[in-house]
Amino acid sequence: MAIDFKQDILAPVASDFAAMDTFINEGITSKVALVMAVSKHVVEAGGKRMRPIMCLLAAKACGAEDIERQRKLAAIIEMLHTATLVHDDVVDESGLRRGRPTANATWNNQTAVLVGDFLISRAFDLLVDLNDMTLLKDFSTGTCEIAEGEVLQLQAQHQPETTEQTYLDIIHGKTSRLFELATEGAAILSGTPQYRDPLRIFAGHFGNAFQIIDDILDYTSDAETLGKNIGDDLMEGKPTLPLISALQKTTDEEHEIVRRSIATGGTTQLERVIDIVQNCGALDYCRQRATEETESALQALDALPHSEYRQALINLTQLALNRIQ
């Protein structure tokens, strides 16, 4: 049975989701017109709003009835996510995200960086209103780790000797950490500390699987589906798992081609590298790792009581993995 995003994941929290969306738009109001214009542009360019949905589902899965505060938290998470994307696009000099022009391409780097700063500051401004010290501490530590993950990624650029462990450290900060904040934050606000660990562990593995799958799709889908150009990561010399794995599975000339393409970046050998990655078994290894991470995520959810909300989290996890089936 195919999982339908709207029906099997969003439906149980659809009304909360709508209220959260309104809160985001109220949250990004600013006295400075440009700040608001850019914020609106980037928030609207957002994707499926997976992190806030996960926050709402986690809150309900913890047994919370009235989740007004968790709706605010979900909005805050989406604002933080958006801010990190805006900064990422500047760092990566991206012109497109999900097929739409990025803020730095529409305005300029200076504007994008500063509006990203505004969104982070605004998110914390709203977070303080929730008046929960445990939550605030979790988020301030977490956002530091997200920034560290991005710096770690920058440091690994053009480094062919990057290990799988370093890659996992990078994606934990870059991707998984915000998923963890979304679910663990929901447990904190719901007054169910016993579900903090299971939900954090679930989200951490979910985030890892999600990023590995994204990195696989770089080699198997077209720009239309991906919303960005194939080979973008390669051009920037980012050692993602398919490349790290390809280096372990190749010898001689092929090994050297992959190694050099990470070291120098650029796309002169793009076709050849894609070919090598697709044929050396690297993608099979990545699929296996994504499946393992998915299984660990699902296992962690066993600690939560049965509910349609827990089931929706399971569905979301399966749907993410299905992108590579």
Side-chain angles (χ1 to χ4, degrees):
M1 178 203 93
I3 297 167
D4 176 65
F5 186 79
K6 267 205 165 107
Q7 207 40 54
D8 302 320
I9 294 161
L10 183 58
V13 287
S15 59
D16 295 298
F17 182 77
M20 179 225 39
D21 230 29
T22 312
F23 189 71
I24 291 181
N25 289 316
E26 287 168 9
I28 58 177
T29 49
S30 162
K31 298 184 289 292
V32 179
L34 180 61
V35 168
M36 216 159 138
V38 182
S39 298
K40 216 169 167 50
H41 171 90
V42 293
V43 166
E44 279 169 5
K48 285 208 275 288
R49 300 258 199 274
M50 215 168 29
R51 290 152 194 82
I53 289 170
M54 203 180 259
C55 177
L56 298 171
L57 286 171
K60 291 278 201 176
C62 287
E65 298 285 328
D66 171 33
I67 62 164
E68 191 192 350
R69 298 175 76 215
Q70 290 93 330
R71 287 200 296 255
K72 291 187 172 170
L73 182 65
I76 289 165
I77 283 158
E78 187 61 14
M79 288 168 72
L80 278 173
H81 176 55
T82 304
T84 60
L85 296 185
V86 175
H87 283 166
D88 284 356
D89 288 338
V90 172
V91 171
D92 295 341
E93 298 171 20
S94 301
L96 282 184
R97 179 173 287 277
R98 301 198 186 90
R100 287 187 49 166
T102 53
N104 45 300
T106 308
W107 287 276
N108 53 36
N109 281 347
Q110 293 96 315
T111 309
V113 167
L114 297 172
V115 172
D117 289 346
F118 166 79
L119 285 168
I120 294 169
S121 313
R122 190 73 183 108
F124 272 91
D125 193 24
L126 296 167
L127 200 56
V128 173
D129 293 339
L130 292 175
N131 202 16
D132 187 308
M133 210 54 187
T134 311
L135 185 71
L136 200 51
K137 181 64 185 160
D138 200 27
F139 267 73
S140 29
T141 312
T143 36
C144 289
E145 289 169 359
I146 290 167
E148 286 169 340
E150 290 293 347
V151 175
L152 212 54
Q153 174 167 266
L154 204 55
Q155 244 185 337
Q157 249 175 335
H158 303 301
Q159 303 290 331
E161 53 287 341
T162 304
T163 61
E164 180 170 336
Q165 187 49 56
T166 301
Y167 167 82
L168 287 171
D169 292 342
I170 290 169
I171 71 170
H172 177 255
K174 182 178 93 136
T175 303
S176 309
R177 197 67 188 90
L178 197 56
F179 282 117
E180 291 177 351
L181 289 173
T183 55
E184 195 180 356
I188 293 170
L189 278 186
S190 303
T192 50
Q194 69 274 28
Y195 297 140
R196 273 183 70 176
D197 278 352
L199 278 170
R200 188 189 68 249
I201 292 164
F202 154 71
H205 288 297
F206 175 93
N208 286 353
F210 190 80
Q211 188 58 55
I212 292 169
I213 292 160
D214 258 10
D215 292 342
I216 294 170
L217 290 174
D218 252 355
Y219 291 89
T220 56
S221 71
D222 52 56
E224 287 302 301
T225 324
L226 215 54
K228 65 171 195 175
N229 302 320
I230 303 293
D232 272 2
D233 285 344
L234 195 62
M235 196 163 81
E236 291 154 19
K238 285 182 189 165
T240 57
L241 194 58
L243 292 172
I244 292 169
S245 172
L247 282 173
Q248 286 169 345
K249 293 183 185 298
T250 52
T251 52
D252 308 338
E253 189 209 357
E254 290 193 334
H255 181 90
E256 186 48 36
I257 288 172
V258 176
R259 206 196 63 78
R260 210 172 37 237
S261 70
I262 296 172
T264 59
T267 49
T268 46
Q269 295 271 45
L270 181 62
E271 297 303 320
R272 188 87 167 87
V273 173
I274 291 175
D275 198 46
I276 294 168
V277 169
Q278 285 176 346
N279 292 314
C280 73
L283 295 180
D284 293 328
Y285 173 72
C286 293
R287 285 188 191 101
Q288 177 203 328
R289 285 292 294 111
T291 307
E292 286 165 10
E293 291 288 347
T294 300
E295 281 161 5
S296 301
L298 293 173
Q299 213 176 336
L301 286 178
D302 288 345
L304 272 75
H306 282 274
S307 69
E308 60 171 324
Y309 308 106
R310 185 184 82 163
Q311 187 54 50
L313 287 171
I314 293 169
N315 296 343
L316 178 59
T317 310
Q318 299 286 15
L319 187 68
L321 185 66
N322 290 346
R323 295 182 300 156
I324 53 165
Q325 303 306 27

